[in-house]
Amino acid sequence: MLTRVNRSVSQMLIFFTLVVLSISNLYPLLFMFLNSLKNRPAYLKSPFSLPDLGQLAFSNYATMISQFKILNLFKNTLIISVSTIFFLLIFGIIASYAFAKLKFRGREVIYLIIISSMFVPVQVTIIPIYMLFSKIHLVNTYWAVVLTYLGMFLSETILLLTSAFRGVPDEMIEAAELDGAGYFDILRYVMVPMGRPAIALCLIYYFIVTWNDLFTPMILLTDMDLRTVMVALASLMSRYTGDPTLQFAGLVLAAVPAILVYAVFQNYIIKGIGEGSTR
Amino acid sequence: MKALARPNFRRTKAVHGILSILPTLAILLFIRFYPIGEAIYRSFTDWNGLYRNNWVGLLNYINIFTNSPFWTLLRNSFVLLISVPLQILIGLLVAVLLYEEVSGWRFFRAIVYVPQIISAVIIGYLFRIAFGLDGPVNQFLRNIGAAFIANEWLGNSATALFVLVFCLTWFSIGWQAIVILGGMSRLSPSVLEAANLDGANFWQRTFLVIVPMVARTIEYGAIMSIVWTFTGTFAFIYSITYGGPGYETSTIDYMIYTKFYQASANYGFATALAVILLIIILGLTYAEMTYTNKVSEWE
């Protein structure tokens, strides 16, 4: 009896601590959302109060859309994210299939070389990449960013997918081959369905990473019409320092897509991180 | 059976294998290995990105070590590393709490990871605004009668670095918690039950029973976080302090960016910094590989 009471007390304590922790994680987001609905004087007067329901300032959002052309920025970022993920998965899946299931000379050595390049940070390579791309007129194109991302993320993708594909039983592939399945059939009907959790993790994880990234697009895209959301946000924040509520509206809009994707697919991410796949 | 009996079957597979890795090899050669080689070569020159490209030997490295803010950059990185034990300690406690699976724990687990989903740019600017001279933090301190603590937080090196450490810790707790929770899911529950029956309290159970069992996971989290502190903090520094005042909150990777945009472009100097960063990262990665032997675990 006593232990049961103790147990429920400790459960309550844990619950309460987790609530406090959740508030510390969510409060900054709530703070920026609430203040994006105020006008400047109201924010400066009391940043912690709730916005006045009678006069919510949706004008901040209207300004972001009309003057700041945030929809165009969304389009740019989406093109870059989706193309990166598309090529990452195509190249990653076929290479991982080879490393996991097709025997050829030098396979292990090549695999090790590819994986060992995983930790080389992009800052080390960015100046030579920029010079190379400016020589072949790729600077200020989506391709410049997509190619750089592929270089940054392919080895990690291959590490993840190869370990998933190694779990596919050889018998399944042999059975498919007996049925006359060729290279692409095996990929489509055996490897991809069997590796679905790992593929989904890559898809979601790299969407969030590329959506949120600042460094690479900031260096490779200087054209105003090609900038990504985060690059534009960085310049918004330094130019409109006088109007914090407008800035909050920009921050909120920029955060929404990644939050939505996470809200729907968080299980894949939590599972993937827990298995030690990504940082 | 027919397919397997075909004499060229093995060779077909090998050809498929090589063709399958060709796109990846081409991209990595073009976007990774060539630029790394180029960076190493140019670090021995006075390259300005255009025509000037004279061999200067170790001059860039000597300049970095004797006549540049390099030691300040390194000091800053080490100060930022204070965040690593903090995030691991708090992350560990959070993981232990989540492991109890109180009602709603899945929801809490999802919320714990939320900071990782938000762009560093957004988090950074929130912190910049929060710690501004008339920002919410100072306003809050004045409201509760602690105006003497209110400060120009980002205006001097000690407090600006403190804000950065605070921000990196807040950002990373969730990642550490989920990683450690992942490690704990491989434990057998009976050990923890035994500890409970022996009357171990929360702290004893956490530090004497759980920590030794997830030591490798913690080691992995620590090294990944250390590497990340050297390479992944650019957007935070850019949005919170712009590396300033002066170079007081810049790190090596931030300096590469600064040098890239300076009018008197000395890319030789910048690539030498890049090579030093590369050596630091390779050293840390090597340590990681030998400690946790992750690659062989996955095989």
Side-chain angles (χ1 to χ4, degrees), chain B residues 186-268:
Chain B
R186 293 187 278 273
L187 304 180
S188 77
S190 59
V191 181
L192 286 176
E193 271 162 34
N196 275 345
L197 289 178
D198 287 347
N201 68 27
F202 174 80
W203 303 105
Q204 289 168 328
R205 211 155 27 106
T206 303
F207 290 102
L208 300 179
V209 182
I210 294 173
V211 167
M213 288 194 296
V214 293
R216 286 199 136 198
T217 308
I218 293 177
E219 236 166 39
Y220 161 77
I223 293 183
M224 293 300 273
S225 248
I226 293 171
V227 170
W228 181 83
T229 307
F230 277 99
T231 62
T233 57
F234 172 83
F236 289 102
I237 297 174
Y238 182 85
S239 51
I240 299 179
T241 66
Y242 295 107
Y247 294 112
E248 290 300 316
T249 58
S250 297
T251 54
I252 299 174
D253 60 324
Y254 196 85
M255 189 68 156
I256 294 171
Y257 164 82
T258 315
K259 286 283 162 197
F260 180 73
Y261 275 113
Q262 254 168 19
S264 57
N266 185 350
Y267 292 159

Coordinates of all heavy atoms in Angstrom, one line a residue, chain B residues 186-268:
Chain B
R186 N 17.9 -0.5 -24.8 CA 18.6 -1.7 -25.0 C 18.9 -2.4 -23.6 O 19.5 -3.5 -23.6 CB 19.8 -1.6 -25.8 CG 19.5 -1.2 -27.3 CD 20.7 -1.2 -28.2 NE 21.4 0.1 -28.1 CZ 21.2 1.1 -28.9 NH1 20.2 1.1 -29.7 NH2 21.9 2.2 -28.7
L187 N 18.6 -1.7 -22.5 CA 18.8 -2.3 -21.2 C 17.8 -3.3 -20.9 O 16.6 -3.2 -21.4 CB 18.8 -1.2 -20.1 CG 19.7 0.0 -20.2 CD1 19.5 0.9 -19.1 CD2 21.2 -0.5 -20.3
S188 N 18.1 -4.2 -20.0 CA 17.0 -5.1 -19.5 C 16.3 -4.5 -18.3 O 17.0 -4.1 -17.4 CB 17.6 -6.5 -19.2 OG 18.2 -6.4 -17.9
P189 N 15.0 -4.4 -18.3 CA 14.3 -3.7 -17.2 C 14.5 -4.4 -15.9 O 14.4 -3.7 -14.8 CB 12.8 -3.9 -17.7 CG 12.8 -4.3 -19.1 CD 14.1 -5.0 -19.3
S190 N 14.9 -5.7 -15.9 CA 15.0 -6.4 -14.6 C 16.1 -5.8 -13.7 O 16.0 -5.7 -12.5 CB 15.3 -7.8 -14.9 OG 16.5 -8.0 -15.6
V191 N 17.2 -5.2 -14.4 CA 18.3 -4.6 -13.6 C 17.7 -3.4 -12.8 O 18.0 -3.3 -11.6 CB 19.4 -4.2 -14.5 CG1 20.6 -3.6 -13.7 CG2 19.9 -5.4 -15.3
L192 N 16.9 -2.6 -13.5 CA 16.4 -1.4 -12.8 C 15.4 -1.8 -11.7 O 15.4 -1.2 -10.7 CB 15.7 -0.5 -13.8 CG 16.7 0.2 -14.7 CD1 16.0 1.0 -15.8 CD2 17.6 1.2 -13.9
E193 N 14.6 -2.9 -12.0 CA 13.7 -3.3 -11.0 C 14.5 -3.8 -9.7 O 14.1 -3.5 -8.6 CB 12.8 -4.4 -11.5 CG 11.6 -3.9 -12.2 CD 10.9 -4.9 -13.1 OE1 11.0 -6.1 -12.7 OE2 10.3 -4.5 -14.1
A194 N 15.6 -4.5 -10.0 CA 16.4 -5.0 -8.9 C 16.9 -3.9 -8.0 O 16.9 -3.9 -6.8 CB 17.5 -5.9 -9.4
A195 N 17.4 -2.8 -8.7 CA 17.9 -1.6 -8.0 C 16.7 -1.0 -7.2 O 17.0 -0.5 -6.1 CB 18.4 -0.6 -9.0
N196 N 15.5 -0.9 -7.8 CA 14.4 -0.4 -7.0 C 14.1 -1.2 -5.8 O 13.9 -0.6 -4.7 CB 13.1 -0.4 -7.9 CG 13.0 0.8 -8.8 OD1 13.8 1.8 -8.5 ND2 12.2 0.7 -9.8
L197 N 14.2 -2.6 -5.9 CA 13.9 -3.4 -4.7 C 14.9 -3.2 -3.7 O 14.7 -3.3 -2.5 CB 13.8 -4.9 -5.2 CG 12.5 -5.2 -6.0 CD1 12.6 -6.7 -6.4 CD2 11.3 -4.9 -5.2
D198 N 16.2 -3.0 -4.1 CA 17.2 -2.8 -3.1 C 17.1 -1.4 -2.5 O 18.0 -1.1 -1.6 CB 18.6 -2.9 -3.8 CG 18.9 -4.3 -4.2 OD1 18.2 -5.2 -3.7 OD2 19.9 -4.5 -5.0
G199 N 16.1 -0.6 -2.8 CA 15.9 0.7 -2.2 C 16.8 1.8 -2.7 O 17.0 2.8 -2.0
A200 N 17.3 1.6 -3.9 CA 18.1 2.7 -4.4 C 17.2 3.9 -4.7 O 16.1 3.8 -5.3 CB 18.8 2.3 -5.7
N201 N 17.7 5.1 -4.3 CA 16.9 6.3 -4.7 C 17.2 6.7 -6.1 O 18.0 6.2 -6.8 CB 17.1 7.4 -3.6 CG 18.5 8.0 -3.7 OD1 19.1 8.0 -4.8 ND2 19.0 8.5 -2.6
F202 N 16.5 7.8 -6.5 CA 16.5 8.3 -7.9 C 18.0 8.5 -8.3 O 18.4 8.1 -9.4 CB 15.7 9.5 -8.0 CG 15.8 10.2 -9.4 CD1 15.1 9.7 -10.5 CD2 16.6 11.3 -9.6 CE1 15.2 10.2 -11.7 CE2 16.7 11.8 -10.9 CZ 16.0 11.3 -11.9
W203 N 18.7 9.2 -7.5 CA 20.1 9.6 -7.9 C 21.0 8.4 -7.9 O 21.8 8.3 -8.9 CB 20.7 10.7 -6.9 CG 19.8 11.9 -6.8 CD1 18.9 12.2 -5.8 CD2 19.6 12.9 -7.8 NE1 18.2 13.3 -6.1 CE2 18.6 13.8 -7.3 CE3 20.1 13.1 -9.1 CZ2 18.2 14.9 -8.1 CZ3 19.7 14.2 -9.8 CH2 18.8 15.1 -9.3
Q204 N 20.9 7.5 -6.9 CA 21.7 6.3 -7.0 C 21.4 5.5 -8.2 O 22.3 5.0 -8.9 CB 21.4 5.5 -5.7 CG 22.0 6.1 -4.4 CD 21.4 5.4 -3.2 OE1 20.3 4.9 -3.2 NE2 22.3 5.4 -2.1
R205 N 20.1 5.4 -8.5 CA 19.7 4.6 -9.7 C 20.3 5.2 -10.9 O 20.8 4.5 -11.8 CB 18.2 4.5 -9.7 CG 17.7 3.2 -10.3 CD 16.3 3.0 -9.8 NE 15.6 4.2 -9.5 CZ 14.6 4.7 -10.2 NH1 14.2 4.1 -11.3 NH2 14.0 5.8 -9.8
T206 N 20.2 6.5 -11.0 CA 20.6 7.2 -12.2 C 22.2 7.1 -12.4 O 22.6 6.6 -13.5 CB 20.3 8.7 -12.2 OG1 18.9 8.8 -12.0 CG2 20.7 9.4 -13.5
F207 N 22.9 7.4 -11.4 CA 24.4 7.5 -11.6 C 25.1 6.2 -11.3 O 26.2 6.0 -11.8 CB 24.9 8.7 -10.7 CG 24.5 10.0 -11.2 CD1 23.4 10.7 -10.6 CD2 25.1 10.5 -12.4 CE1 23.0 11.9 -11.1 CE2 24.6 11.8 -12.9 CZ 23.6 12.5 -12.3
L208 N 24.6 5.4 -10.4 CA 25.3 4.1 -10.1 C 24.8 2.9 -11.0 O 25.6 2.0 -11.2 CB 25.2 3.8 -8.6 CG 25.7 4.9 -7.7 CD1 25.5 4.5 -6.2 CD2 27.2 5.2 -8.0
V209 N 23.6 3.0 -11.4 CA 23.1 1.8 -12.2 C 23.0 2.1 -13.7 O 23.5 1.4 -14.5 CB 21.7 1.4 -11.7 CG1 21.2 0.1 -12.4 CG2 21.8 1.1 -10.2
I210 N 22.3 3.3 -14.0 CA 22.0 3.5 -15.4 C 23.3 4.0 -16.1 O 23.6 3.5 -17.2 CB 20.9 4.5 -15.6 CG1 19.6 3.9 -15.0 CG2 20.7 5.0 -17.0 CD1 18.4 4.8 -14.9
V211 N 24.0 5.0 -15.6 CA 25.1 5.6 -16.3 C 26.2 4.6 -16.7 O 26.6 4.6 -17.8 CB 25.8 6.7 -15.4 CG1 27.1 7.1 -16.0 CG2 24.8 7.9 -15.4
P212 N 26.6 3.7 -15.8 CA 27.6 2.7 -16.3 C 27.0 1.8 -17.4 O 27.8 1.4 -18.3 CB 27.8 1.8 -15.0 CG 27.4 2.6 -13.9 CD 26.3 3.5 -14.4
M213 N 25.7 1.6 -17.4 CA 25.2 0.7 -18.5 C 25.1 1.4 -19.8 O 25.1 0.8 -20.9 CB 23.9 0.1 -18.1 CG 24.1 -0.9 -17.0 SD 22.6 -1.9 -16.7 CE 21.4 -0.7 -16.1
V214 N 24.9 2.8 -19.8 CA 24.8 3.5 -21.1 C 26.1 4.3 -21.3 O 26.0 5.3 -22.1 CB 23.5 4.4 -21.1 CG1 22.3 3.6 -21.1 CG2 23.5 5.4 -20.0
A215 N 27.2 3.9 -20.7 CA 28.4 4.7 -20.8 C 28.8 4.9 -22.3 O 29.2 6.0 -22.7 CB 29.5 4.0 -20.1
R216 N 28.6 3.9 -23.1 CA 29.1 4.0 -24.5 C 28.2 5.0 -25.3 O 28.7 5.7 -26.1 CB 29.0 2.6 -25.2 CG 30.1 1.7 -24.7 CD 30.3 0.6 -25.7 NE 31.7 0.4 -26.0 CZ 32.1 -0.3 -27.0 NH1 31.3 -0.7 -27.9 NH2 33.4 -0.5 -27.2
T217 N 26.9 4.9 -25.0 CA 26.0 5.9 -25.6 C 26.4 7.3 -25.2 O 26.4 8.2 -26.1 CB 24.5 5.6 -25.2 OG1 24.3 4.2 -25.4 CG2 23.6 6.4 -26.0
I218 N 26.7 7.5 -24.0 CA 27.0 8.9 -23.5 C 28.3 9.3 -24.2 O 28.4 10.4 -24.6 CB 27.2 8.9 -22.0 CG1 25.8 8.7 -21.3 CG2 27.7 10.2 -21.5 CD1 25.8 8.6 -19.8
E219 N 29.3 8.4 -24.3 CA 30.5 8.7 -25.0 C 30.3 9.1 -26.4 O 30.8 10.1 -26.9 CB 31.4 7.4 -25.0 CG 32.7 7.6 -24.4 CD 33.3 6.2 -24.1 OE1 33.2 5.3 -25.0 OE2 34.0 6.0 -23.1
Y220 N 29.4 8.3 -27.1 CA 29.1 8.7 -28.5 C 28.5 10.1 -28.5 O 28.9 10.9 -29.4 CB 28.1 7.6 -29.0 CG 27.3 8.0 -30.2 CD1 27.9 8.0 -31.5 CD2 26.0 8.3 -30.1 CE1 27.2 8.4 -32.6 CE2 25.3 8.7 -31.2 CZ 25.9 8.7 -32.5 OH 25.1 9.1 -33.6
G221 N 27.5 10.3 -27.7 CA 26.8 11.6 -27.6 C 27.8 12.8 -27.4 O 27.8 13.8 -28.0
A222 N 28.8 12.5 -26.5 CA 29.7 13.5 -26.1 C 30.6 13.9 -27.3 O 30.8 15.0 -27.6 CB 30.6 13.0 -24.9
I223 N 31.1 12.8 -28.0 CA 32.1 13.1 -29.1 C 31.3 13.8 -30.3 O 31.8 14.7 -30.9 CB 32.8 11.9 -29.5 CG1 33.7 11.5 -28.3 CG2 33.6 12.1 -30.7 CD1 34.6 10.4 -28.5
M224 N 30.1 13.3 -30.6 CA 29.3 13.9 -31.6 C 29.1 15.4 -31.3 O 29.2 16.2 -32.2 CB 28.0 13.2 -31.8 CG 28.1 11.8 -32.3 SD 28.9 11.7 -33.9 CE 27.5 11.9 -35.0
S225 N 28.8 15.7 -30.0 CA 28.5 17.0 -29.6 C 29.8 17.9 -29.7 O 29.7 19.1 -30.0 CB 27.9 17.1 -28.2 OG 26.6 17.5 -28.3
I226 N 30.9 17.3 -29.3 CA 32.2 18.1 -29.4 C 32.5 18.5 -30.8 O 32.8 19.6 -31.1 CB 33.3 17.3 -28.7 CG1 33.1 17.1 -27.2 CG2 34.7 18.0 -29.0 CD1 34.0 16.2 -26.5
V227 N 32.4 17.5 -31.7 CA 32.6 17.7 -33.1 C 31.6 18.8 -33.6 O 32.0 19.8 -34.3 CB 32.4 16.5 -34.0 CG1 32.4 16.8 -35.5 CG2 33.5 15.5 -33.7
W228 N 30.4 18.7 -33.2 CA 29.4 19.6 -33.6 C 29.7 21.0 -33.1 O 29.4 22.0 -33.8 CB 28.0 19.1 -33.1 CG 26.9 20.0 -33.5 CD1 26.2 20.0 -34.7 CD2 26.3 21.1 -32.8 NE1 25.2 21.0 -34.7 CE2 25.3 21.7 -33.5 CE3 26.5 21.6 -31.5 CZ2 24.5 22.7 -33.1 CZ3 25.7 22.6 -31.0 CH2 24.7 23.2 -31.8
T229 N 30.2 21.1 -31.9 CA 30.5 22.4 -31.4 C 31.6 23.1 -32.2 O 31.6 24.4 -32.3 CB 31.0 22.3 -29.9 OG1 30.0 21.6 -29.2 CG2 31.2 23.7 -29.3
F230 N 32.5 22.3 -32.8 CA 33.5 22.9 -33.7 C 33.0 23.3 -35.1 O 33.6 24.1 -35.8 CB 34.7 22.0 -33.8 CG 35.7 22.1 -32.7 CD1 35.7 21.2 -31.6 CD2 36.6 23.1 -32.6 CE1 36.6 21.3 -30.6 CE2 37.5 23.2 -31.6 CZ 37.5 22.3 -30.5
T231 N 32.0 22.6 -35.5 CA 31.6 22.7 -36.9 C 30.1 23.2 -37.1 O 29.8 23.6 -38.2 CB 31.7 21.4 -37.7 OG1 30.9 20.4 -37.1 CG2 33.1 20.9 -37.6
G232 N 29.3 23.0 -36.2 CA 27.8 23.2 -36.4 C 27.2 24.5 -35.8 O 26.0 24.7 -35.8
T233 N 28.1 25.4 -35.3 CA 27.5 26.5 -34.5 C 27.5 27.8 -35.3 O 27.1 28.8 -34.8 CB 28.3 26.7 -33.2 OG1 29.7 27.0 -33.6 CG2 28.3 25.6 -32.3
F234 N 27.9 27.7 -36.6 CA 28.0 28.9 -37.4 C 26.7 29.8 -37.3 O 26.7 31.0 -37.0 CB 28.3 28.6 -38.8 CG 28.2 29.8 -39.7 CD1 29.2 30.7 -39.8 CD2 27.0 30.1 -40.4 CE1 29.2 31.8 -40.6 CE2 26.9 31.3 -41.2 CZ 28.0 32.1 -41.3
A235 N 25.5 29.2 -37.6 CA 24.3 30.0 -37.7 C 23.9 30.6 -36.3 O 23.4 31.7 -36.3 CB 23.1 29.1 -38.2
F236 N 24.3 29.9 -35.2 CA 24.0 30.5 -33.9 C 24.8 31.7 -33.7 O 24.3 32.8 -33.2 CB 24.3 29.4 -32.8 CG 23.3 28.3 -32.7 CD1 23.6 27.1 -33.3 CD2 22.1 28.5 -32.1 CE1 22.7 26.0 -33.2 CE2 21.2 27.5 -32.1 CZ 21.5 26.2 -32.6
I237 N 26.1 31.6 -33.9 CA 27.0 32.7 -33.7 C 26.7 33.9 -34.6 O 26.6 35.0 -34.2 CB 28.5 32.3 -33.9 CG1 28.9 31.2 -32.9 CG2 29.4 33.5 -33.8 CD1 30.2 30.6 -33.1
Y238 N 26.4 33.5 -35.9 CA 26.0 34.6 -36.9 C 24.8 35.3 -36.4 O 24.7 36.6 -36.5 CB 25.8 33.9 -38.2 CG 25.4 34.9 -39.3 CD1 26.4 35.6 -40.0 CD2 24.1 35.3 -39.6 CE1 26.1 36.5 -41.0 CE2 23.8 36.2 -40.6 CZ 24.8 36.8 -41.3 OH 24.5 37.7 -42.2
S239 N 23.8 34.6 -35.9 CA 22.5 35.3 -35.6 C 22.6 36.0 -34.2 O 21.8 36.9 -33.9 CB 21.4 34.4 -35.7 OG 21.6 33.2 -35.0
I240 N 23.4 35.4 -33.2 CA 23.3 36.0 -31.9 C 24.3 37.1 -31.7 O 24.0 38.2 -31.2 CB 23.6 34.9 -30.8 CG1 22.4 33.9 -30.9 CG2 23.6 35.5 -29.4 CD1 22.6 32.8 -29.9
T241 N 25.6 36.9 -32.1 CA 26.6 37.9 -31.8 C 27.4 38.4 -33.1 O 28.2 39.3 -32.9 CB 27.7 37.3 -30.9 OG1 28.4 36.3 -31.6 CG2 27.1 36.8 -29.6
Y242 N 27.2 37.8 -34.2 CA 28.0 38.1 -35.4 C 29.5 37.9 -35.1 O 30.4 38.6 -35.7 CB 27.8 39.6 -35.9 CG 26.4 39.8 -36.4 CD1 25.5 40.6 -35.7 CD2 26.0 39.3 -37.7 CE1 24.2 40.8 -36.2 CE2 24.7 39.5 -38.1 CZ 23.8 40.3 -37.4 OH 22.6 40.5 -37.9
G243 N 29.8 37.1 -34.1 CA 31.2 36.8 -33.8 C 31.8 37.8 -32.9 O 33.0 37.6 -32.5
G244 N 31.1 38.9 -32.6 CA 31.7 40.0 -31.8 C 31.3 40.0 -30.4 O 30.6 39.1 -29.9
P245 N 31.7 41.0 -29.6 CA 32.5 42.1 -30.1 C 33.9 41.8 -30.5 O 34.5 40.9 -29.9 CB 32.5 43.0 -28.8 CG 32.3 42.1 -27.7 CD 31.4 41.0 -28.2
G246 N 34.4 42.4 -31.6 CA 35.7 42.0 -32.2 C 35.6 40.6 -32.6 O 34.7 40.2 -33.3
Y247 N 36.6 39.8 -32.2 CA 36.5 38.4 -32.5 C 36.2 37.6 -31.2 O 36.4 36.4 -31.1 CB 37.9 37.9 -33.0 CG 38.2 38.5 -34.4 CD1 39.3 39.4 -34.5 CD2 37.5 38.1 -35.5 CE1 39.5 39.9 -35.8 CE2 37.8 38.6 -36.7 CZ 38.8 39.5 -36.9 OH 39.1 40.0 -38.1
E248 N 35.6 38.3 -30.2 CA 35.5 37.7 -28.9 C 34.6 36.5 -28.8 O 34.6 35.7 -27.9 CB 35.0 38.7 -27.9 CG 36.1 39.8 -27.6 CD 37.3 39.2 -27.0 OE1 37.2 38.3 -26.1 OE2 38.4 39.6 -27.4
T249 N 33.6 36.3 -29.8 CA 32.8 35.1 -29.8 C 32.9 34.3 -31.1 O 32.1 33.5 -31.4 CB 31.3 35.4 -29.5 OG1 30.9 36.3 -30.5 CG2 31.1 36.1 -28.2
S250 N 33.9 34.6 -31.9 CA 34.1 33.9 -33.2 C 34.8 32.6 -32.9 O 35.5 32.4 -31.9 CB 35.0 34.7 -34.1 OG 34.4 35.9 -34.5
T251 N 34.5 31.6 -33.8 CA 35.2 30.3 -33.7 C 36.0 30.1 -35.0 O 35.8 30.9 -35.9 CB 34.3 29.1 -33.5 OG1 33.3 29.2 -34.5 CG2 33.6 29.3 -32.1
I252 N 36.7 29.0 -35.1 CA 37.5 28.8 -36.4 C 36.6 28.8 -37.6 O 36.9 29.5 -38.6 CB 38.3 27.5 -36.3 CG1 39.3 27.6 -35.1 CG2 39.1 27.3 -37.6 CD1 40.0 26.3 -34.8
D253 N 35.5 28.1 -37.5 CA 34.6 28.0 -38.7 C 34.0 29.3 -39.0 O 33.8 29.7 -40.2 CB 33.6 26.9 -38.6 CG 32.7 27.1 -37.4 OD1 33.1 27.6 -36.4 OD2 31.5 26.8 -37.5
Y254 N 33.7 30.1 -38.0 CA 33.2 31.4 -38.2 C 34.2 32.3 -38.9 O 33.9 33.1 -39.8 CB 32.7 32.0 -36.9 CG 31.8 33.2 -37.1 CD1 30.4 33.0 -37.3 CD2 32.3 34.5 -37.2 CE1 29.6 34.1 -37.6 CE2 31.5 35.6 -37.4 CZ 30.1 35.4 -37.6 OH 29.3 36.4 -37.9
M255 N 35.5 32.2 -38.5 CA 36.5 33.0 -39.0 C 36.7 32.7 -40.5 O 37.0 33.6 -41.3 CB 37.8 32.7 -38.3 CG 38.9 33.7 -38.6 SD 38.6 35.3 -38.1 CE 40.2 36.0 -37.9
I256 N 36.5 31.4 -40.9 CA 36.7 31.1 -42.3 C 35.7 31.9 -43.2 O 36.0 32.5 -44.2 CB 36.5 29.6 -42.6 CG1 37.6 28.8 -41.9 CG2 36.4 29.3 -44.1 CD1 37.3 27.3 -41.9
Y257 N 34.5 32.0 -42.6 CA 33.4 32.8 -43.3 C 33.8 34.3 -43.3 O 33.7 34.9 -44.4 CB 32.1 32.6 -42.5 CG 31.1 33.6 -42.8 CD1 30.3 33.5 -44.0 CD2 30.9 34.8 -42.0 CE1 29.3 34.5 -44.3 CE2 30.0 35.7 -42.3 CZ 29.2 35.6 -43.4 OH 28.3 36.5 -43.7
T258 N 34.3 34.8 -42.2 CA 34.7 36.2 -42.1 C 35.8 36.5 -43.2 O 35.7 37.5 -43.9 CB 35.2 36.6 -40.7 OG1 34.4 36.0 -39.8 CG2 35.3 38.1 -40.6
K259 N 36.8 35.6 -43.3 CA 37.9 35.8 -44.2 C 37.4 35.8 -45.6 O 37.9 36.4 -46.5 CB 39.0 34.8 -44.0 CG 39.8 35.0 -42.7 CD 40.8 36.2 -43.0 CE 41.3 36.7 -41.6 NZ 41.9 38.0 -41.7
F260 N 36.4 34.9 -45.9 CA 35.8 34.7 -47.2 C 35.3 36.0 -47.7 O 35.3 36.3 -48.9 CB 34.8 33.6 -47.2 CG 34.2 33.4 -48.5 CD1 34.9 32.7 -49.5 CD2 32.9 33.8 -48.8 CE1 34.3 32.5 -50.7 CE2 32.3 33.5 -50.0 CZ 33.0 32.9 -51.0
Y261 N 34.7 36.8 -46.8 CA 34.0 38.0 -47.3 C 34.8 39.3 -47.1 O 34.4 40.4 -47.5 CB 32.7 38.2 -46.5 CG 31.6 37.4 -47.2 CD1 31.0 36.3 -46.6 CD2 31.1 37.8 -48.4 CE1 30.0 35.6 -47.2 CE2 30.1 37.1 -49.1 CZ 29.6 36.0 -48.5 OH 28.6 35.3 -49.1
Q262 N 36.1 39.2 -46.6 CA 36.9 40.4 -46.4 C 37.3 40.9 -47.8 O 37.6 40.1 -48.7 CB 38.1 40.1 -45.5 CG 37.9 40.7 -44.2 CD 38.9 40.2 -43.2 OE1 40.0 39.6 -43.6 NE2 38.7 40.3 -41.9
A263 N 37.4 42.2 -47.9 CA 37.7 42.8 -49.2 C 39.1 42.4 -49.7 O 39.2 42.0 -50.8 CB 37.7 44.3 -49.0
S264 N 40.1 42.4 -48.8 CA 41.4 42.0 -49.2 C 41.5 40.5 -49.1 O 42.1 40.0 -48.2 CB 42.5 42.7 -48.3 OG 42.2 42.3 -47.0
A265 N 40.9 39.8 -50.0 CA 40.7 38.4 -49.9 C 42.1 37.7 -49.8 O 42.9 37.8 -50.7 CB 40.0 37.8 -51.1
N266 N 42.3 37.0 -48.7 CA 43.5 36.1 -48.6 C 43.0 34.7 -48.4 O 42.8 34.2 -47.3 CB 44.4 36.6 -47.5 CG 45.7 35.7 -47.5 OD1 45.8 34.7 -48.2 ND2 46.6 36.2 -46.7
Y267 N 42.6 34.0 -49.5 CA 42.0 32.7 -49.4 C 43.1 31.7 -48.9 O 42.7 30.6 -48.4 CB 41.4 32.3 -50.7 CG 40.2 33.1 -51.0 CD1 39.7 33.2 -52.3 CD2 39.5 33.8 -50.0 CE1 38.5 33.9 -52.6 CE2 38.4 34.5 -50.3 CZ 37.9 34.6 -51.6 OH 36.8 35.3 -51.9
G268 N 44.4 32.0 -49.1 CA 45.4 31.1 -48.6 C 45.3 31.0 -47.1 O 45.3 29.9 -46.5

